[in-house]
Amino acid sequence: MKRKMFFVILWAAGGLVFLAVLTAVICNLYVSSIASPYVLTDHSSAPVCDAILVLGARVYASGQPSPSLSDRLDTAVDLYNAGKAPKILVSGDSTAAEYDETAGMLDYLLQRGIPRGDILVDQAGYSTYDSIYRTREQFGIRSVLIATQDFHIERSVYIARRLGLDAWGVPSPDRQAYWLYNRARESLARVKAVLETDILHRIPTA
């Protein structure tokens, strides 16, 4: 009897794992199918939009953006200087006085000659979803170029498109040391994105 129960539990556990994997695969393919046509390989082909969105990432204690975030900001500067948008929106986590992503992003852009009046700051970008939702609802932006790394860009464009933005992804250089970890994490994040965007229609509280 115990042996039979063991196999029942084993089959049930295996079934749950299979369903979880299948769900992840379907969600990843779904996200890619919607976003991939709007991911640009050439910055010069980017359309003119209302703004360039730079999604937050790690900043050091000094306020200096990490290499990944610096690359996103450099992409935004290139697009701005090419006349692809009149504004740059930096969105990140600024919940603590000792950790402020947007302050570091703002300083970085100012040091590269972007006028302060052309930089919009969103301090409540606690997640990719929150940042993109607030891009439209809080800042009134309707068309946007999203500057982020390749592993992250399809999910960002997918969320933006599903939330009604005319969004295009412009990949930044990817110098991530943990490439495999980021890809694995992203595959799970896409499941969460589908849940938030297409099922729950989550409204950020901030």
Side-chain angles (χ1 to χ4, degrees):
M1 186 68 178
K2 290 182 178 180
R3 183 183 179 89
K4 183 177 180 181
M5 182 62 68
F6 171 78
F7 280 110
V8 169
I9 294 173
L10 187 63
W11 274 102
L16 289 174
V17 170
F18 174 78
L19 286 175
V21 171
L22 182 62
T23 298
V25 169
I26 291 172
C27 287
N28 275 262
L29 292 174
Y30 175 60
V31 168
S32 290
S33 70
I34 290 176
S36 59
Y38 304 100
V39 175
L40 306 172
T41 56
D42 180 5
H43 292 193
S44 65
S45 65
V48 175
C49 291
D50 295 337
I52 303 153
L53 171 62
V54 183
L55 298 167
R58 183 187 176 193
V59 295
Y60 300 123
S62 64
Q64 174 67 25
S66 62
S68 293
L69 185 52
S70 296
D71 287 338
R72 296 179 189 184
L73 291 163
D74 286 340
T75 298
V77 170
D78 289 344
L79 291 167
Y80 175 89
N81 288 335
K84 297 299 184 179
K87 302 287 184 180
I88 298 177
L89 169 59
V90 295
S91 181
D93 187 349
S94 304
T95 54
E98 66 277 9
Y99 185 78
D100 189 339
E101 291 177 357
T102 55
M105 296 162 80
L106 175 61
D107 288 343
Y108 190 95
L109 292 176
L110 292 174
Q111 290 170 16
R112 280 148 185 82
I114 305 300
R116 179 61 185 89
D118 289 344
I119 305 172
L120 305 173
V121 178
D122 176 19
Q123 296 181 315
Y126 306 128
S127 69
T128 300
Y129 183 91
D130 287 3
S131 293
I132 294 172
Y133 183 94
R134 290 171 59 80
T135 294
R136 176 177 171 132
E137 298 303 322
Q138 300 298 321
F139 293 90
I141 292 168
R142 291 296 181 265
S143 61
V144 66
L145 299 171
I146 303 175
T148 189
Q149 276 72 29
D150 183 66
F151 75 89
H152 180 223
I153 204 161
E154 286 192 346
R155 174 163 61 95
S156 303
V157 172
Y158 158 78
I159 292 172
R161 287 265 159 188
R162 297 301 291 167
L163 291 180
L165 285 162
D166 183 15
W168 301 81
V170 185
S172 302
D174 193 347
R175 296 187 279 170
Q176 291 286 337
Y178 305 105
W179 184 89
L180 184 60
Y181 167 79
N182 286 327
R183 293 287 176 173
R185 180 177 178 276
E186 183 63 19
S187 67
L188 296 177
R190 291 185 179 196
V191 177
K192 179 173 178 282
V194 172
L195 181 66
E196 289 183 316
T197 308
D198 282 327
I199 299 174
L200 298 178
H201 305 289
R202 183 172 70 84
I203 299 176
T205 55

